[in-house]
Amino acid sequence: MFGRAEGCASSSSRHTPRVILAFDLDCFYASVSVRNDPSLTGLPVGVVQKHLVVTSNYMARGLGVAKMSPVKDAVAGCPQLRLVDGSDLAPFRRAASEVRSAIRQRMPAGTPMEYLGLDEIFIDATDAVAEIALLAPKPPPLQGNMQGDVQDAAHLGAMARGAALAAELRAHVVKETNLTMCAGIGDSKLAAKIATGIHKPDSQTTFISGPKAVEQFLAPKSPRAIPGFGRGYLKRLNECRPDITTVRGLREAFPPGAEAALADALGSSESVAEHLLLACQGIDSSAVVPAGPPKIVSSEDSMRFCKTRGVVREKVLALSREMIGRLVDGVDEHGPRHPGTLQVKFRFTGTGYQPTFRSVSMPLSVSAPTLRNGNPHFSAAYDRAVSDVVKRTLAVLDDNGLQAPPFAFSLLGVGATNFSRSSTARPSLSSSAPFRGDSVLEKRQVEDPTTSCARSQSPRKNEKNVPNGDSVSKRSLEPCMGSDVPASCPVCGKAFSNATANIEINRHLDYCLSGQPSMGLSTRFPKKLGPRKNLTKAKTRHVGSFFTKQEQRR
Ligand code: TTP
Ligand code: MG
């Protein structure tokens, strides 16, 4: 019964089953923590966020430390448990990115890959397997474990090839990242996902369709086991039908034909309800949807009472560092993108659950070409970007209560959104002051309420929704875009005066980027630079296109 609706196979394999691979990294945060700190090797380890052990390694699990246990209980049950702070997600994000690129290296370009959270990956390997079958018509012996009922030789052959591919990918990921993972192989996302959880850790299972398999492996599980049945749906189901705790219960309460009732209960569309009810029977035709770059890169934290300016500043600093770290890591995965908008999110203690969002223009230093892993000037560019984001965020918070104590924040967040591939849509280097924390623009934001970019006490009429449901105000960006103020060099920080000609600025930037960050702004070019042919057409380039050119050059 685990299967797909007709017509869902990819073009080259319309009459063969889909081959879907699902991967789930083993005790992900704990494995990354141990890998990054070898002194923890061989010890029971728990990763802590707030007061919970969000995950533990398999040694700790053997000693009774379950995922999501309160720290107090975990330590009481396992005194030798080594606790690791997991509040900084950056190392986990980086590790996830390493795993994804290791897998991409081994798969044909264009293979659909979908990411679920940080540590789960789905791959539609149907076409890859069909190509392997052309090269080696005899299927290999099935690697790893197998569950379910064998249907026919062709089905089994396709799954065996998928299993061989999964084994190769797992071995490659271990070699490249030193992290282990489980794999599930099936003819749908649902089958593959369920298969990943059957034999753990560091193992793989092939799931062959069959009604018995549905009853054994899917029916007793929580509805959350169905891909697409998120936490929100589970919460709503618990509210209206607390008696339903399993897929079997859901299937019995909402038999075929009860899609509208389920849609009502979950607050979903009828087509989603239809998909979920089919999935309860083991039928899943959903496609592996390749993950595009995120629409927003954000970092936020909730707290009890954040009520002094110093504490707020520290918190904003940590969040800004994390957000910019993620933007930098994202360049490796998605290529350079330029966030046009800084979104500040906050909530005051005692004001309910809904946070407030404010949008301002993103400091241009966040798009600096030097803000890139491996760049020799990375560290300076990173510090500058963090400092600019902190200042702008504090200016927004000042406008929204930080300057009027007593206040107490219960949530703070910063996000980068409104991305463009090219930086030409951004304010030109000469028309804004993106790289100096004490720029005129920054001062305006803090001091002059009439020109502040951070000023929007209530949602504006021309706000447009970004896909995650947050709002971005176009008008709120305008004062920042048009500011005619001096700028400074993104590499060495040297100030450019208003009188500095564009061509001189370009020369200076070329010189800095070639590794000589101390060049002045004299109108004559210094002899030590050598012949002008080294200047890569700096003479004719307009300052406004600086970032685009740098990008093309890379
Ligand atoms: P999981 O894949 O659920 O757990 P895991 O990888 O730690 O363990 P397993 O071997 O069973 O797959 O989640 C991935 C990471 O996500 C996990 O390491 C910690 C984090 N996490 C949370 O932060 N909050 C949560 O509620 C859960 C379940 C996980
Ligand atoms: Mg996992």
Side-chain angles (χ1 to χ4, degrees):
M1 284 273 278
F2 275 92
R4 63 179 168 86
E6 285 309 309
C8 288
S10 48
S11 54
S12 65
S13 49
R14 210 158 279 286
H15 303 294
T16 56
R18 287 198 297 166
V19 181
I20 307 295
L21 314 181
F23 296 96
D24 184 339
L25 284 134
D26 296 324
C27 52
F28 183 47
Y29 288 8
S31 303
V32 173
S33 306
V34 173
R35 180 192 73 163
N36 295 353
D37 177 3
S39 73
L40 296 169
T41 309
L43 299 172
V45 173
V47 180
V48 177
Q49 280 176 357
K50 309 267 158 133
H51 58 284
L52 289 177
V53 174
V54 289
T55 195
S56 51
N57 63 2
Y58 278 79
M59 187 179 187
R61 289 184 201 185
L63 297 167
V65 182
K67 287 194 261 188
M68 303 304 285
S69 0
V71 172
K72 228 168 74 185
D73 299 352
V75 174
C78 178
Q80 68 273 45
L81 183 68
R82 296 289 293 270
L83 294 175
V84 175
D85 179 13
S87 55
D88 179 8
L89 297 185
F92 311 129
R93 291 202 175 101
R94 219 156 282 150
S97 172
E98 288 169 32
V99 170
R100 291 167 188 178
S101 51
I103 291 181
R104 273 200 304 271
Q105 279 168 15
R106 275 292 202 266
M107 293 303 293
T111 301
M113 283 173 64
E114 181 178 336
Y115 310 126
L116 204 63
L118 284 183
D119 87 328
E120 286 182 55
I121 301 170
F122 287 103
I123 299 178
D124 187 338
T126 312
D127 285 349
V129 159
E131 276 175 39
I132 295 169
L134 285 178
L135 297 172
K138 190 166 171 248
L142 193 130
Q143 294 193 39
N145 310 285
M146 190 180 101
Q147 293 289 347
D149 314 316
V150 174
Q151 287 186 333
D152 57 58
H155 194 103
L156 186 61
M159 293 303 136
R161 289 189 177 96
L165 185 56
E168 192 201 323
L169 290 173
R170 287 176 48 235
H172 184 64
V173 165
V174 171
K175 185 168 145 264
E176 294 291 309
T177 69
N178 211 10
L179 295 169
T180 62
M181 57 189 190
C182 285
I185 302 97
D187 59 3
S188 69
K189 277 167 79 177
L190 176 61
K193 179 167 165 68
I194 289 179
T196 54
I198 296 177
H199 296 278
K200 294 173 87 169
D202 195 15
S203 188
Q204 66 179 64
T205 305
T206 301
F207 211 108
I208 309 285
S209 309
K212 270 194 262 165
V214 174
E215 286 318 303
Q216 187 181 351
F217 294 103
L218 177 60
K221 286 196 184 299
S222 154
R224 281 277 277 140
I226 298 171
F229 202 106
R231 251 179 253 182
Y233 287 162
L234 189 65
K235 192 165 164 253
R236 273 175 226 140
L237 185 68
N238 286 341
E239 278 161 14
C240 66
R241 289 294 304 266
D243 55 312
I244 301 175
T245 54
T246 61
V247 171
R248 184 178 290 126
L250 188 65
R251 203 174 56 192
E252 287 168 3
F254 298 94
E259 288 81 11
L262 182 61
D264 238 23
L266 301 181
S268 71
S269 66
E270 272 194 42
S271 65
V272 167
E274 188 184 357
H275 159 76
L276 295 175
L277 288 185
L278 283 172
C280 287
Q281 302 170 54
I283 300 168
D284 174 26
S285 61
S286 58
V288 173
V289 182
K295 300 241 170 358
I296 181 161
V297 173
S298 61
S299 172
E300 66 178 63
D301 200 3
S302 54
M303 63 271 319
R304 272 267 172 88
F305 296 104
C306 191
K307 49 187 179 182
T308 67
R309 194 183 170 80
V311 176
V312 170
R313 198 189 176 285
E314 281 307 304
K315 191 53 88 182
V316 169
L317 179 64
L319 294 171
S320 305
R321 282 185 177 142
E322 186 178 319
M323 180 191 78
I324 288 168
R326 290 184 58 201
L327 283 170
V328 172
D329 291 342
V331 173
D332 294 341
E333 200 168 325
H334 308 294
R337 299 191 301 150
H338 309 287
T341 300
L342 168 65
Q343 193 178 75
V344 181
K345 182 176 178 183
F346 55 91
R347 186 181 59 213
F348 289 101
T349 306
T351 57
Y353 180 74
Q354 275 301 328
T356 304
F357 294 90
R358 293 287 179 263
S359 296
V360 291
S361 66
M362 180 63 84
L364 204 49
S365 50
V366 175
S367 293
T370 40
L371 192 58
R372 200 175 168 158
N373 282 325
N375 189 296
H377 304 291
F378 173 80
S379 167
Y382 173 83
D383 289 347
R384 191 171 293 265
V386 168
S387 146
D388 287 355
V389 168
V390 168
K391 279 182 182 157
R392 203 155 284 188
T393 303
L394 288 175
V396 172
L397 294 176
D398 274 341
D399 280 352
N400 287 277
L402 189 59
Q403 276 189 336
F407 57 80
F409 289 99
S410 61
L411 176 90
L412 285 169
V414 290
T417 185
N418 194 15
F419 285 94
S420 61
R421 279 282 164 204
S422 149
S423 60
T424 48
R426 309 240 4 176
S428 77
L429 190 59
S430 58
S431 68
S432 68
F435 300 114
R436 285 193 312 168
D438 57 351
S439 68
V440 174
L441 177 62
E442 300 287 357
K443 282 183 185 147
R444 266 193 206 166
Q445 278 196 316
V446 178
E447 292 166 7
D448 182 356
T450 57
T451 54
S452 170
C453 307
R455 192 151 315 281
S456 55
Q457 296 294 333
S458 58
R460 291 173 188 272
K461 276 192 186 146
N462 64 342
E463 279 181 347
K464 67 171 183 181
N465 283 330
V466 292
N468 67 347
D470 303 335
S471 60
V472 175
S473 163
K474 273 186 183 166
R475 263 178 57 200
S476 67
L477 306 183
E478 285 163 7
C480 302
M481 298 290 212
S483 311
D484 186 16
V485 289
S488 59
C489 171
V491 179
C492 70
K494 197 166 195 71
F496 303 143
S497 80
N498 273 339
T500 310
N502 288 346
I503 191 168
E504 282 184 53
I505 294 176
N506 272 322
R507 280 180 187 170
H508 175 88
L509 290 168
D510 272 336
Y511 197 64
C512 267
L513 284 164
S514 68
Q516 310 270 351
S518 58
M519 182 189 171
L521 287 169
S522 74
T523 43
R524 293 191 64 78
F525 222 65
K527 279 183 192 150
K528 64 177 177 179
L529 252 188
R532 274 177 183 246
K533 66 181 180 216
N534 290 342
L535 294 180
T536 59
K537 297 185 185 162
K539 270 195 297 186
T540 54
R541 191 185 309 144
H542 187 269
V543 173
S545 62
F546 167 69
F547 285 108
T548 323
K549 296 281 179 187
Q550 288 304 318
E551 228 175 278
Q552 285 166 357
R553 224 191 275 171
R554 262 187 250 120

